[in-house]
Amino acid sequence: MSVRRTLAMVRKELRHIRRDARSLLMALALPMFLMLLFGYALNLDVDRIPTLVYDADQSPESRSLVQKFQGSRFFEIEGFVDNYSAIERGIDRGDILMALAIPRDYSRRIRAGEPVAAQILLDGSDSNTASIALGYAQSIVQDYSVTLRSEGADRRFGIKLQQAVDARTRVWYNSTLQSKNYVVPGLIAVILTIIAALLTSLTIAREWEMGTMEQLMSTPVRPSEIVLGKMLAFFFIGVADTVLSVLVGVFVFDVPFSGSVWVLALTSTVFLTGALFWGILLSAVAKSQLMAFQMGIISSFLPAFMLSGFIYAVENMPPAIQAITRLIPTRFFVTILKGIFLKGVGLEVLWTDLLYLAGFSIVVFLLATRRLRQKLA
């Protein structure tokens, strides 16, 4: 492999990129658009749950329970009703997710020291959100129950009950429990996967359609030099997209960055290299730009979005699907980014994921070179 011929290929591709100003602008603007769109739209936080209250008791004790829900950031009291029909209509229309129903004898039973039930009605159409909302509601009711029991014992016996276990929770890595801190690092990996594949998936197919590949065939340049030269030319755009995406994540979405910039640069370089080589391989396999574009979308967006652990935890997937995710390089890059951003870990923890990305890059480079050599033959 000649360095001089490879650099000549790089200069040739850079001239093509510079002349196509609209494609260059799109390559730089599209990541920012996707970052802002998905960053704001993909909010996994379950809070301000729209709630109706049916207080049939209308007593100080029932109002005290309602105030517990009003004081929580997880619930938004939309109004008060006086029958179950209004609750059913609200759930059917999608206006509310939950309702709290307090029975008529609520205060009497509390004063008598008898057990009493408060009913929680949930819209279970979205099972995940409903389960989280139920957990929040049960936590509030249980805390309120302990308070009532302690006050009752204090009035009767002059003894203030203490909890047997004092649980003190400490959240590591994402102390505010905001989903954006989890989503945005993975979003960077997904966007780079899409952009890298689309940048290079058309390059060789375009050469064949325009007839310039025959001119390359008449020169001493080798297939490996063509593949490497095309990758390096688009690599600079990929680096710019990476820097812009990280800056938006840190300064626009306020995602904490706890790791090393150098580790991020190294891992991003290896991942970008493999993703760009993958696009070139698709371009070498496809017979037209349209087919190359379609193959790039299908092989980048869907696996990166669904099977990388970006939103859905890989550990919760069926074993067969988990095995398939090991073929998706974005999965390993998502793990790396979350480790760097949130946990601040380095290569001593992430070296296995980085080794996989490096192996993927080498394998795809060899496949792209072999495929191009077959076409040139």
Side-chain angles (χ1 to χ4, degrees):
M1 182 182 296
S2 169
V3 175
R4 185 171 61 87
R5 290 196 296 264
T6 302
L7 292 179
M9 277 297 305
V10 173
R11 288 193 295 270
K12 167 187 169 299
E13 291 299 321
L14 288 176
R15 290 192 183 99
H16 282 300
I17 294 172
R18 187 176 67 248
R19 290 169 184 169
D20 193 358
R22 287 180 297 181
S23 298
L24 178 59
L25 179 61
M26 181 177 295
L28 296 175
L30 185 59
M32 298 303 96
F33 173 75
L34 294 176
M35 192 76 178
L36 295 174
L37 176 63
F38 286 111
Y40 285 113
L42 283 176
N43 187 354
L44 305 181
D45 295 331
V46 180
D47 54 7
R48 304 185 68 84
I49 300 166
T51 306
L52 281 180
V53 175
Y54 174 27
D55 186 359
D57 194 54
Q58 295 292 328
S59 64
E61 288 80 4
S62 64
R63 287 192 290 271
S64 178
L65 176 60
V66 173
Q67 287 173 358
K68 293 292 184 180
F69 282 85
Q70 290 176 321
S72 171
R73 72 178 180 90
F74 300 113
F75 297 95
E76 181 73 21
I77 304 300
E78 299 292 337
F80 294 83
V81 297
D82 55 5
N83 56 72
Y84 280 100
S85 298
I87 294 176
E88 292 179 7
R89 287 195 299 270
I91 292 179
D92 290 341
R93 294 173 181 172
D95 297 332
I96 62 168
L97 178 68
M98 196 190 83
L100 172 66
I102 302 176
R104 294 185 183 279
D105 59 349
Y106 179 81
S107 59
R108 180 187 64 78
R109 294 175 70 90
I110 285 181
R111 296 190 188 107
E114 300 175 0
V116 61
Q119 189 177 32
I120 297 173
L121 303 171
L122 285 163
D123 180 0
S125 302
D126 184 350
S127 59
N128 183 61
T129 303
S131 299
I132 296 174
L134 178 60
Y136 291 153
Q138 288 177 334
S139 177
I140 291 176
V141 172
Q142 289 173 359
D143 289 344
Y144 183 63
S145 176
V146 171
T147 301
L148 289 178
R149 192 181 307 149
S150 176
E151 292 176 352
D154 193 13
R155 286 196 303 268
R156 293 182 182 181
F157 309 110
I159 301 175
K160 193 167 185 178
L161 294 181
Q162 299 290 336
Q163 293 187 9
V165 177
D166 182 15
R168 300 184 181 183
T169 304
R170 182 180 179 184
V171 180
W172 286 7
Y173 310 132
N174 186 10
S175 58
T176 58
L177 295 178
Q178 293 180 310
S179 63
K180 65 180 180 63
N181 295 337
Y182 173 83
V183 168
V184 170
L187 182 58
I188 294 174
V190 173
I191 289 175
L192 292 182
T193 301
I194 299 170
I195 296 301
L198 294 183
L199 283 176
T200 53
S201 62
L202 305 179
T203 175
I204 294 179
R206 185 189 300 116
E207 296 267 13
W208 284 111
E209 290 187 357
M210 296 177 63
T212 56
M213 185 58 74
E214 286 79 0
Q215 298 175 6
L216 279 177
M217 293 171 58
S218 63
T219 65
V221 65
R222 298 177 179 177
S224 59
E225 295 162 354
I226 294 176
V227 173
L228 186 59
K230 287 180 176 292
M231 187 280 296
L232 290 175
F234 287 98
F235 179 79
F236 298 109
I237 301 178
V239 170
D241 288 335
T242 303
V243 173
L244 290 175
S245 299
V246 171
L247 291 178
V248 170
V250 173
F251 295 104
V252 175
F253 293 102
D254 294 324
V255 177
F257 185 85
S258 306
S260 168
V261 175
W262 300 110
V263 175
L264 176 62
L266 174 62
T267 54
S268 300
T269 297
V270 176
F271 174 75
L272 269 178
T273 301
L276 291 170
F277 279 143
W278 176 255
I280 294 175
L281 173 61
L282 296 179
S283 185
V285 171
K287 297 181 179 179
S288 65
Q289 293 188 66
L290 177 59
M291 182 179 292
F293 179 80
Q294 292 173 342
M295 292 173 62
I297 287 291
I298 294 174
S299 65
S300 62
F301 178 75
L302 293 178
F305 199 87
M306 302 295 295
L307 302 177
S308 66
F310 160 51
I311 295 181
Y312 310 106
V314 175
E315 295 76 12
N316 296 334
M317 298 179 184
I321 303 300
Q322 291 187 33
I324 295 175
T325 62
R326 297 185 179 278
L327 303 176
I328 311 299
T330 313
R331 170 193 170 174
F332 298 91
F333 192 48
V334 167
T335 302
I336 289 174
L337 286 179
K338 290 179 179 179
I340 294 174
F341 271 83
L342 300 179
K343 299 180 181 179
V345 296
L347 294 179
E348 70 280 358
V349 175
L350 303 174
W351 69 271
T352 54
D353 300 290
L354 180 61
L355 187 62
Y356 173 87
L357 294 180
F360 174 81
S361 301
I362 295 172
V363 170
V364 176
F365 169 71
L366 295 176
L367 291 176
T369 302
R370 180 180 179 182
R371 179 62 182 177
L372 188 58
R373 183 180 293 111
Q374 292 174 349
K375 275 200 168 186
L376 293 177

